[in-house]
Amino acid sequence: MSFSEPAMESRMECRLPQKELIGRKCSEFIHDGDCIFIDSGTTTFQIAKNLTGKKNLTVITNSIPVVNELMNSEFTLIIIGGKVRHSERSVVSFEYMFNFAGLNIQKSFLCAGGITAGNGVSDFDMQEAITRKIIIERSKEIFVAADSSKFGRDVTVNIAPLSRIQHLVTDSDLSKSLAAGFQKSPVELIRAEE
């Protein structure tokens, strides 16, 4: 089966209740004083909307919507420098454009275009994949925030095997048969529910 990346605008509204629940659930793992990375996806954007009440956060992102959402907060905001990817409202970068080595991230919240028990996390764009791979290397704890429609499919570019991810946060619509495939993996499957 072939998959292509839908437009950002259509993804912002698609499965919005599930994405909002996932965003709220992810925010429960963020504590005052944390240094976090929020990826440039429609599900990870919901995390930024749920940070009210947190204190002394440092938020690193490549997402222009996340920057806009948090612009008036008291948080320290760091945007990864590089080329603007207009269609995704994101910034893609390479190590020669941004000093990733200076980052010491406690928790990263990544998005995905596909997730399988066999091949792990994948996405559609090579440039976005490069940034995600580097962020995984610079992070102590990795959360992948993805609604259940992303499970059971491999898309264009592999990001990481499940052995590199600690937590998969999804919605309660994930089928039992797909969830069963992750039981033997080292990753914790977290369901966001009402």
Side-chain angles (χ1 to χ4, degrees):
M1 181 180 277
S2 174
F3 298 103
S4 61
E5 187 170 34
M8 180 78 153
E9 286 74 23
S10 66
R11 291 195 336 265
M12 284 298 249
E13 296 299 320
C14 181
R15 300 181 58 81
L16 184 58
Q18 291 90 340
K19 292 175 181 182
E20 288 172 336
L21 283 172
I22 294 166
R24 280 198 292 277
K25 180 52 102 178
C26 287
S27 72
E28 294 174 14
F29 296 96
I30 299 169
H31 306 294
D32 293 351
D34 278 350
C35 175
I36 65 171
F37 175 81
I38 300 178
D39 202 0
S40 63
T42 57
T43 304
T44 47
F45 171 67
Q46 296 301 322
I47 299 168
K49 296 175 82 172
N50 284 281
L51 296 180
T52 307
K54 309 282 184 191
K55 302 203 180 329
N56 301 318
L57 292 183
T58 298
V59 180
I60 303 165
T61 190
N62 60 338
S63 168
I64 294 167
V66 167
V67 169
N68 288 337
E69 181 69 26
L70 300 178
M71 186 61 73
N72 295 319
S73 73
E74 298 292 319
F75 305 146
T76 299
L77 288 176
I78 299 170
I79 188 163
I80 289 176
K83 181 182 103 176
V84 172
R85 190 169 173 229
H86 294 273
S87 63
E88 289 301 299
R89 298 182 200 151
S90 67
V91 179
V92 294
S93 191
F94 303 93
E95 292 198 65
Y96 66 85
M97 297 173 84
F98 184 82
N99 183 14
F100 287 94
L103 300 179
N104 186 16
I105 304 166
Q106 289 165 301
K107 298 165 188 164
S108 286
F109 297 86
L110 303 178
C111 59
I115 303 169
T116 64
N119 290 330
V121 180
S122 58
D123 205 35
F124 294 96
D125 184 78
M126 178 64 77
Q127 293 174 319
E128 297 267 6
I130 290 168
T131 299
R132 289 182 186 125
K133 285 173 184 271
I134 295 169
I135 291 297
I136 288 170
E137 293 298 319
R138 303 300 312 158
S139 302
K140 291 181 177 67
E141 192 172 8
I142 309 295
F143 294 77
V144 174
D147 73 75
S148 55
S149 70
K150 308 292 173 51
F151 284 73
R153 66 182 195 175
D154 282 318
V155 297
T156 316
V157 185
N158 183 268
I159 304 295
L162 292 183
S163 61
R164 298 287 310 176
I165 309 298
Q166 285 78 42
H167 315 279
L168 291 173
V169 185
T170 191
D171 56 77
S172 59
D173 295 341
L174 183 66
S175 72
K176 288 182 181 175
S177 62
L178 276 175
F182 293 87
Q183 287 178 342
K184 292 182 182 176
S185 76
V187 72
E188 177 188 21
L189 187 62
I190 301 166
R191 293 175 190 256
E193 305 193 41
E194 297 264 7

